[in-house]
Structure formats: C-alpha cells, structure tokens
Amino acid sequence: MCGIVGLVGHKDAVNKIIDGLKKLEYRGYDSAGMALVEQNSGELCVIKTAGKIANLEHEAHSKYKGAAEAGIGHTRWATHGKPTKENAHPHATELVALVHNGIIENYADLRKSLLAQGISLNSNTDTEVVMQMISLLLSKGVAPLEAVQRTVSSIRGTYAFGIVFKQHPEMIIGARKGSPLAIGVNADGKLSLGSDAVALSGFANQVAYLEDGDIAQLYTNGSLNILDKDGNKAARPWQPISKDQSIPDKKGYEHFMLKEIFEQPSTIADTLIHYIGRPSNKTVNIHPSGISWDQTNHITIIACGTSYYAGLVAKYWFEKYARIPVEVDVASEYRYRTPPVHEKSVGIFISQSGETADTLAALRYIRNLGHTCVTIVNIPTSTLAREANVVLPTFAGLEISVASTKAFTAQMAVLAYMLIEALKMRNDADLSFELAKEFLTVDALILNALDTMQGLTQLAKKLSETKDVLYLGRGVLYPIAMEGALKMKELSYIHAEGYAAGEMKHGPIALIDKGMSVIALCPYDKEGLFHKIVSNICEAKARGAQISILTCKKGRLLLEEAELKCPIYLYPDATQLTAPLIYSIPMQFLAYLTALNRGVDIDQPRNLAKSVTVE
Ligand code: F6R
C-alpha cells in the first residue's frame, strides 16, 4: 500500500528518495511524488506523476536543479480520489508539503470547515485537507511542531505523515497513529523516515519504530526530537536493520513470484528446522512457543485473504487431531461484530506483512479482553509482532511479489508445528510424534510438486481464454480451492471461485455449462472424501464443464477404472497434514502461468497492495 520515504542531511536527496521509492514499489501503488526544499532558490519544489516511479524519476531529473538536504517521497495507492497526478502525494501549498498513509475519517467535516474559511482545495483527497489545515496555521505564524500537534488533535482516522516546510529546510516532521512509521539512522548519524524498514534499508543501518500518537522532528544535523501522544519527550529503541529487510534480486527468474514459488522447499525447511527437531525414540523436540495448550479449550484465528485460508486449514487440523474447537474469521468482519471470546481461547493472528489494519484491530480487541494473542508473521519487526504476546515468525524471507506464495505455505508449516506442540502438551505424545514424522517430509514433497510446472502449461493456456474457473475441494483442500481461486483472480483478472465440492449443487451448479472450467483437487485419502468429490466431478461433467483433476497415483488409478475421461495431473501422495501445502503449488503455478499468457503485471497486479494498512 502507500509508502513513505523522508531524508534529512543526506547528500543527493533526489536520487536517494527515488531509490527509496523504488524499494517500496513491491507494496503496490498507482502514482508517486516527492517534495524538497531547494537550497539555491529556497523554494518548495513538488513533483508528482501518475503510474510508475520511472515517470517520476524522469521528471525529477529534469526539474530539480539545486541540491536539497531535506525531502519526502511517496507511493500512493488510491483510497479517496482516482489515481491521478492531482491526487498523488505530496499535497502542498507554498509553505508546506505533506505525504500520508492511512485514511482521515472525518475529512468531509474538516473539508467543509476549510471551505468556510475561504481555503480552496485542489484534489479529492483526505490528505490535502490535513495539509491545508497545517498550512493555514503556518500562515498565521504558528510554528511547525505546534501546527502539526494542533492539526492531528482534530483528525479522526489513521495516519503516518511525512512533512517538509519551506521555512525550515533543515527539518522534516513525521507523525503516526494507526499506520506504521519508522526512523532510520546511518553510521554518520544522518536521519531518515520510512513507512517500513525496507524503505530505509538503503540509507540507514538502524531503525526505531514510532508509537501511536508520536510526532518526531528530524534535523539535518542528526538531532531527533520525539514527543509522545501526551506531548512528553520520548525515546524509541534503535534496532539494527537486518539483511532480510533489503530487497533481494530475482536470481535469474522472470518474476519475483516464480522465484518465491521455487524457494518453498527451502523456506519450509527453514521454518521446520526452527520449530521441530528430528524425531527419535518415539519423541520429538519442539521449540516452546510459550502457549499454555493444556489450559486452552478454544482457538480464535483471525486473518485476511490468503492468510485467512491458512487459518481455515488449521481449523481442520486442530479440530480433527487435538479436538480443540476453532473459530476462524476474516478480520474486517470479526473486528466489528463484538463477538464473545471463549474463556480459555487463544487468539492466533496470521499475517505476512504484520501490518494489515483489520488484523491488527482484531488483535487489539482480543488482547484487551485479556487473552493470549499469538501472531504468525513474516516480518518480525512489524506492528502485529510488536503488539502480540507470542510471536511465531514464518522464516519465509522477504516476499516481494504482491501475491503471497511462500509466506502462505510457511504459515501452514507454523500452524502444523503448533498442532504438534499442542498434542504433546495435551498428553497425546504418540500422535504428536507421528504427525511430526509425517510433516517433516513436506519440504521434499513440495520439491517433487515443483516438477509439475511444465505439465500445467497447456491447461493454463486454456484457462487464459476462459471467463470463469471453479475450483472444487473438500476437507483440508477446500481452503486451498479458495486460495487457488483467489490467486487466479488477482493475477490473471479472470473470474474464479473456490467451492466446497459438496456445496456445488446448492447453487453454483446452475452456472455450469461447456464454458466453465473446473479444477478439482482430488487426492486419494483414507477419510473417504476422494469418492465424494469424484461424484461431484461427475455432476459437473454431466453438465458439460471442462474438468481438470489434480490427484495422486492411487487417485489416478481409481479414476481410470471409473473411466472418468478428464485430464489428470499427478501430485505426490499426501495426508491431511501435507496435502494443503502440496496442492498449493499447482494453485500458484496455474495462476502464474495463466497470468503470463495474458501478459499482465505479475508481481504487481492492478489495484492490489502488498501491505494493506488501511481498513
Ligand atoms: C493474496 C494476498 C492477500 C493477503 C492479504 C493479507 O495473494 O497476498 O490476500 O494475504 O492482504 O495480508 P497479510 O498476510 O500481510 O496480513
């Protein structure tokens, strides 16, 4: 989502801000801009362009003539107002320029009040309203810090601001509430401001995260003044920026997504090594999570999008093996329905970015009721990680492609570890041992599944010409069917739905004709779901659907015996625990290859953001 970079005291600020913005491209954006106070003219110079950073870079090089030591840059993901140059950030008057991540909820009232005071507005954004309020105070002689303090006290909503002032070229101000904002410092003591550590990784080696309500003044001479929400001086702890927080290269792959798909055997192995020891003598050593499983009789799992599907898989696992009831909900619904939370419930919050606004709000709700909050998160320095009682990192490494792949399978690996730990602590050591042994083979099975990419190219070619795709699954593969459909929608822009196969005849079957492509996730299983889904496939086939079946060797044999003449794609033998990870691979490949055929922007699909920091 929107990204912020701010610099003070660095030489060559223009190029450095552009470098910082390029690092933020992976978050998803639709326009970009920057503002600097030029040293020669003393003017506040603002440049903004719709579309890619390359447009901004081109214009910046032709427009900025003088050097500047303080500046801010922004990538915008439109919320209020279209993704145009006018609506891009920074918003500025001749006194001040401001960039913003977040949403100002009372902007309509504030706008009315400004219009009544004779201030005209040039954009449709909530952000311009805030900038105009600060500018009005500055024009009345109010000092920058006080102007920012007075303005933020009258706004409702979420924000991370970066602000430069014409009359104070030696300083930028950052302020945050709800949206993350960090300060960086390099070895020479030069300061920077960024929406995450990735933005700062090129010009800082340490980072400090601002807290809600903080306002920070960053000076070119390296001094830093942070005031907390009550206006008291505050210090925020510095921590080193790790190598994992800098943008990796594509290592020869055409897209980050493909690289990240192929990284999964090693990312899963890294996750497993951290959490589960090699089982021997009927025991398995497990990393202690700190969760009191013996005191737990209910689990609440909250997440969004792909992370939510990882949570749904865990519901099947925990209920079947540990007999613990699990409630799973999307964070945007959960946070507003003020649900009662079971007395001995543990809250699990799953997120790749750790910054998803709705998931964070749900965590705060459950934490305030006094429950243990666990987060499964890929960015251990994120806001969710800082606010949870227990942090279980996924060790997937920075995920750059907007569509989540390796973080998703790593989330499921952490959930499987939690199940194994829960069983051990709840006196079911034998089952815990058996499941650990079984799950520790999953990285090798994923490696085999990765060999199937070539075999899916023809199917993807057909899918790229279709209008609708229906993914069918049962049991633990029902969430994977939904994940397959989500991947297909977001990457190829083709309409796709994931359905519980048994539910198909309660409605969606009406859509089926020869134009409908159906992908059935259909491994042979001991639980008997294979035979059930085969019946559902027959129902779809009888109505003319174009069926493709993903199964294992035994499944293929049975399908051939039943003379069900559909294309079959073979995957390694799977169990309830390994199947969701194995069958995620063809879901990722099909979406990737279909999008490739359609020539769309695979790593940054339209309208999407990597880090969804607004609700
Ligand atoms: C889909 C995808 C999204 C995210 C969702 C939650 O490929 O990436 O659906 O899963 O926006 O994001 P996180 O996991 O960062 O909370």
Side-chain angles (χ1 to χ4, degrees), residues 175-195:
R176 78 153 281 203
K177 189 174 153 231
S179 303
L181 195 62
I183 293 175
V185 65
N186 69 9
D188 301 330
K190 301 290 183 203
L191 296 167
S192 46
L193 188 70
S195 42

Side-chain angles (χ1 to χ4, degrees), residues 578-592:
T578 56
L581 287 93
I582 296 170
Y583 282 81
S584 293
I585 304 297
M587 301 297 94
Q588 298 167 356
F589 277 150
L590 282 175
Y592 175 81

Side-chain angles (χ1 to χ4, degrees), residues 304-308 350-356 359 399 402-404 411 483 486-487 490 609-612:
C304 302
T306 290
S307 300
Y308 165 71
I350 309 172
S351 174
Q352 186 288 127
S353 63
E355 301 296 350
T356 304
T359 309
E399 193 179 63
V402 164
S404 189
Q411 288 166 351
E483 165 62 3
L486 177 66
K487 281 284 157 296
E490 64 179 336
K610 185 72 185 157
S611 178
V612 184

